[in-house]
Amino acid sequence: MTKSEAIKKIEQSIAEGAQLITPEGKTYEEHLAEVSRALFEHVIDPIPVTVTSACFPEYDFEKYKSSKVLAIAHMENSWLLTLESENEFALGFGESPENIMMHGFSSSDAVGEWCA
């Protein structure tokens, strides 16, 4: 996967709808534009990662542990993860791509996962 393919994957996810809690004083559209812009500013050339643990392992951890997972956005210790073969996204944490902890949940909502 290339960076432009990662961007297209995120764009497709946004087009299908994002689940966001809109702060008071903003419209959903304004908030979505802001968080989408912030996400796109942090898109990286996809790199393989190893998901080693999860806060809630009973949900999607096994799926991410046993699949080819790529990081497609990175900010500080946060990583937007995606399954190479599916339109699924999850939020991961860690200093190194070889040791990523995920929340444990995933969805087809890239923005929702990034903001989790």
Side-chain angles (χ1 to χ4, degrees), residues 20-32 34-35:
L20 292 174
I21 297 172
T22 305
E24 189 173 334
K26 291 187 182 181
T27 67
Y28 170 82
E29 292 76 16
E30 290 170 333
H31 186 55
L32 178 59
E34 285 177 16
V35 296

Side-chain angles (χ1 to χ4, degrees), residues 8-55:
K8 285 181 181 167
K9 193 172 186 177
I10 294 167
E11 289 172 338
Q12 178 183 352
S13 170
I14 293 169
E16 293 172 2
Q19 299 291 317
L20 292 174
I21 297 172
T22 305
E24 189 173 334
K26 291 187 182 181
T27 67
Y28 170 82
E29 292 76 16
E30 290 170 333
H31 186 55
L32 178 59
E34 285 177 16
V35 296
S36 296
R37 186 171 34 259
L39 172 54
F40 285 120
E41 288 173 1
H42 292 92
V43 172
I44 60 173
D45 287 313
I47 58 171
V49 300
T50 303
V51 177
T52 57
S53 61
C55 298

